[in-house]
Amino acid sequence: MENSWEEKKKPFNFIQRFLMVAVIPTIFAIIVLVLLLMYSGADVAEKGKELLNAIPFLSEEKRTTDQLLENNKNKISSLQTKLKERDQQIKTLESQLENSENRFQSVNSEKEKLQSELQSLQSAQEETKKAVDEIVKTYETMSAKNAAAILSEMSESETLKILAELKPAKLASILEKMEPSVASKYTELLSTASNPQP
């Protein structure tokens, strides 16, 4: 038991003695001095700032720090301005993109509409062609005299369509049975239709 008590009772080392003899009493004295100055009405905080500013390397540090803070504030302000400009550019580009997409959709719908109309026209044209082919077959089986009489009574455009589709031999026999003035008119129209002038 005596050994453990003795081990615990070791002498203070140098750091411990320095703290106990110098540092702790000095801190205590400073606290008491500050309290007395505050009680007497002196502005301790202001005097402390003056003392800190009087220390050469601290005042220089403070000026450097203040300058850095000011520079950083300026940079932050500049970056915020740039960020706002970029946001505005992004909004403008998004608006342009949306307008382009709307125009693209409008053009696509117009294209689909035109394709639908084209298909309708093509199917109508095919039906008309089939009808004309049927009529041409009918006229090819008719006698030239009867065909000439009927064609002379029809409209010019319809007669021209039928005559343009007939075989050359049948066309010649039908024109032969028409009146000369009518035959010459249709011959001229057929030649103009087959050889359009520039």
Side-chain angles (χ1 to χ4, degrees), residues 13-20:
N13 64 17
F14 175 74
I15 295 174
Q16 290 172 337
R17 281 187 188 184
F18 178 72
L19 285 173
M20 297 226 1

Side-chain angles (χ1 to χ4, degrees), residues 148 152 159-160 163 171-191:
S152 295
T159 303
L160 194 58
L163 290 176
L171 176 63
S173 63
I174 290 174
L175 288 174
E176 190 176 273
K177 298 294 181 185
M178 287 182 172
E179 290 185 24
S181 62
V182 175
S184 70
K185 177 178 78 167
Y186 283 120
T187 304
E188 186 179 327
L189 289 171
L190 284 170
S191 114

Side-chain angles (χ1 to χ4, degrees), residues 99-156:
N99 289 340
S100 295
E101 287 174 352
N102 290 341
R103 282 195 305 255
F104 179 73
Q105 288 174 352
S106 173
V107 167
N108 262 354
S109 64
E110 185 68 25
K111 177 184 170 188
E112 289 173 5
K113 180 181 170 187
L114 290 174
Q115 284 178 337
S116 173
E117 289 177 10
L118 178 63
Q119 287 175 348
S120 298
L121 289 173
Q122 286 174 339
S123 64
Q125 187 179 15
E126 288 174 10
E127 289 175 14
T128 304
K129 176 76 171 135
K130 286 180 185 176
V132 169
D133 287 345
E134 289 296 319
I135 293 172
V136 167
K137 284 182 186 176
T138 304
Y139 277 95
E140 284 191 358
T141 58
M142 283 181 153
S143 69
K145 182 179 179 183
N146 288 339
I150 295 170
L151 289 171
S152 295
E153 297 297 319
M154 290 174 64
S155 72
E156 190 176 281

Side-chain angles (χ1 to χ4, degrees), residues 28-44:
F28 182 74
I30 290 173
I31 292 172
V32 169
L33 181 64
V34 167
L35 289 173
L36 286 174
L37 287 173
M38 286 175 63
Y39 182 73
S40 69
D43 191 3
V44 178

Side-chain angles (χ1 to χ4, degrees), residues 91-101 103:
K91 286 179 184 176
T92 303
L93 291 174
E94 285 174 346
S95 173
Q96 289 174 353
L97 179 62
E98 187 176 331
N99 289 340
S100 295
E101 287 174 352
R103 282 195 305 255

